[in-house]
Amino acid sequence: MYKIDFNSPSRVYFLGIGGISMSGLAEILKQAGFTVYGSDRKSTAITRALEEKGIPVKYGESASHIPADIDCAILTSAVRETNPELCAIKERGIPCLTRAELLGQLMKNYATSVAVSGTHGKTTTTSMISEILLAAGTDPTLSLGGILKSIGSNVRVGGKKFFVAEACEYTNSFLSLFPTVGLILNIEEDHLDFFKDLSEIRRSFRRFAELIPPEGSLIINADIPDYEELTRGLSCKVITFSCTQSRADYSVADVTYDSLGHPSFLLHSPVSGAERFSLKVPGLHNVGNAVAAVALADCLSIERATASSALGAYAGTDRRFEYKGSVGGVTVIDDYAHHPTEITATLSAAQSYPHKTLWCVFQPHTFSRTKQFMTEFAKALSLADRVVLADIFPARETDNLGISSENLRAEIRALGHECFYFPSFDEIENFLLENCINGDLLITMGAGDVVKIGENLLGS
C-alpha cells in the first residue's frame, strides 16, 4: 500500500471530493500543506466551499481532469472501475488509496485516535464527543459525517493529541483504521448489498475491535445481543454501556422528557454515583449516544462537569432531527434516518414533540435496502400519522431489482395505514401545501436529497 509522508506534503487528487467524509479529509490535507485537487459529478454547497478554500474541483468524469504531476489519488467506494478518471490514473501508474486507508494513515499521527462505529448513531455520537473535547480545550482534530453547528463544518484541524472520526462498516472500510479507542454503538443488518447476513456483519465488528491495541479501550453497547462474543479474549480494556441493563459499567435510570421530547436521565458509572444529565436533542436513542460519549470522556480523563455541560448545550447536527423552520404554522424537521431502526427512533421521539398531525415524507435509500427491509420500513413508517413517499434514491445502485416506492406504499396500506406516493418533488410539495395545517409537524426523512422538499416549502 502507498504510504503518504505527512512530513513531506505532496500532490493529491480526490475522486468524489464532494462526499462529506472525502471533503473533510481533503481539507485536512490542504491545511497540512498538501496540494489538493478533486472532482465530483456536480457542483454542491460542499464543493463550492472547497473551492473557496483554494481546492480546485472539476465536474463530471473526464481523464483530462487529472493533473499531470499528482503523486496519489484517493477513491470512494462509489467510484466505478469504468470511471474514465480512474482508468487514466491506473494507466499512468499513479498510486491509489481508499478513503478509509487515508483515514487510517492519518490516525497514526495522533496520540489518541477515537473511531466511532455502529449501524446507527455514529454522526451524533461523534458530534457529542467533539463538543466535549472542544469544551475541555483539548484542541482536537475532527472528521465527522455531518456539519457540526458549533464549528460550521464537518472537519476541524487541531493539535496532534486527539483525532476523532467515524468508522463506517460498509465495504469493511473501518478495518483500515488504527484506533486507540473504539466505540461500537449497535450492530444490525444493513448494507446487505455487501454483507451476506448479520453473522458476517458481526464478524467484521469483531475484527474492528481486534484493531485496538492492548493499552487502548473498547466502549461497547451491552444491549447488543451476545455482545460478549465480540469482546471475548480482547487484549484491550472493555467498557460497557446500556440504556436497559443495570449490570453495564455505564447504565441509565429514571428517563424523563420535557415538552419537546428532550430527555433527562440518571447515569450510574464507575466514576461517580447517580448523576443527572439533560439533553437538548430528542429521543431515547440519543440517551444511549450521550452515555457512550460520557464513557469516552471518562476514558480520556475529561472532567465530568465539562462533559455534562457540553452535552447539555449540544443542540444537534445537520440532518439529525434538525429544525428547518415553520411555514403556515407547520413545523418542518429534517432527519437522515434511512434504516427501519433509525426511522422508529426518530418517529418515536417526534411523538413527544408538539403537533396535531405527524407527517413523514420518506425517500427510501437504495433499491437493495428497500427490498430487504420492505416489511420493516412499512411498520416503522406507520408510527407517523400520514406518510408520503418519494421515489427511491438509487445512490450507487443501477439495478432497481424490480421494485419502486409503489411497493412500499402497498405494504404500508396493507397495514391499514394511510400512505401517498408521488414521483416528483413538485407533486409532493403541492400535496403538502394543500393538506398540512397549522400545528402539524412535517419530517422529511432519508439519506438522499429529500431535504430539498422542506427547504422549498420554506423558501430557503
Side-chain angles (χ1 to χ4, degrees), residues 54-68:
I55 298 176
V57 180
K58 299 287 188 179
Y59 297 103
E61 299 176 354
S62 172
S64 65
H65 291 167
I66 311 299

Side-chain angles (χ1 to χ4, degrees), residues 174-245:
F174 63 174
L175 300 184
S176 295
L177 306 184
F178 296 91
T180 57
V181 182
L183 284 79
I184 300 179
L185 303 175
N186 39 63
I187 301 175
E188 291 193 51
E189 284 185 310
D190 198 11
H191 300 305
L192 295 177
D193 57 328
F194 176 77
F195 294 109
K196 182 176 69 175
D197 52 26
L198 181 58
S199 294
E200 186 177 18
I201 295 171
R202 288 175 62 90
R203 286 194 293 271
S204 286
F205 274 93
R206 166 68 191 200
R207 292 168 63 195
F208 169 75
E210 291 171 347
L211 296 174
I212 302 169
E215 67 274 15
S217 299
L218 172 69
I219 299 169
I220 187 169
N221 189 347
D223 293 331
I224 297 171
D226 299 321
Y227 81 89
E228 296 95 340
E229 180 183 71
L230 304 169
T231 61
R232 191 175 296 117
L234 291 178
S235 60
C236 65
K237 181 179 181 180
V238 176
I239 301 166
T240 60
F241 71 94
S242 171
C243 283
T244 65
Q245 302 180 37

Side-chain angles (χ1 to χ4, degrees), residues 90-109:
K90 289 183 175 180
E91 287 172 5
R92 288 163 53 181
I94 298 169
C96 295
L97 292 174
T98 66
R99 177 199 61 81
E101 288 168 344
L102 171 59
L103 183 58
Q105 291 190 27
L106 273 170
M107 280 187 164
K108 289 185 174 182
N109 293 332

